[in-house]
Amino acid sequence: MSVGRLPEVGDEVEYVPGLRAVVTDIRKGVRYLRRPGYPEWPVRDPDALKVTRTRAERIEAGEFR
């Protein structure tokens, strides 16, 4: 888990305890999340997001084939 940095596109984040999503876009400084079965939504407080896996870690795990 990466602590102390704002999440970037492709990072997996925990947005509330126990729930994870992926940062899909950053528009005008606003991060957008998506999780399976739900539409994309904007994040009001990006400092509250906890990066659980970076995009690079997800690539290494084979999630982008």
Side-chain angles (χ1 to χ4, degrees), residues 1 10 12 15-16 18 21 29-30 32 38 41 47 50-51 54 60:
M1 177 171 17
E12 177 186 81
Y15 59 95
V16 297
V30 176
Y32 285 76
Y38 292 85
W41 73 92
D47 292 323
K50 294 179 184 173
V51 177
T54 65
E60 189 175 310

Side-chain angles (χ1 to χ4, degrees), residues 20 31-32 35 38 49 55:
R20 295 181 179 180
R31 279 141 176 88
Y32 285 76
R35 63 181 274 213
Y38 292 85
L49 299 175
R55 181 177 189 271

Side-chain angles (χ1 to χ4, degrees), residues 53 55-65:
R53 291 187 302 153
R55 181 177 189 271
E57 291 168 332
R58 293 179 64 227
I59 289 170
E60 189 175 310
E63 290 188 30
F64 292 94
R65 294 183 192 199

Side-chain angles (χ1 to χ4, degrees), residues 23-36:
V23 178
T24 57
D25 202 359
I26 301 172
R27 302 177 206 147
K28 297 182 181 180
V30 176
R31 279 141 176 88
Y32 285 76
L33 302 181
R34 184 181 306 258
R35 63 181 274 213

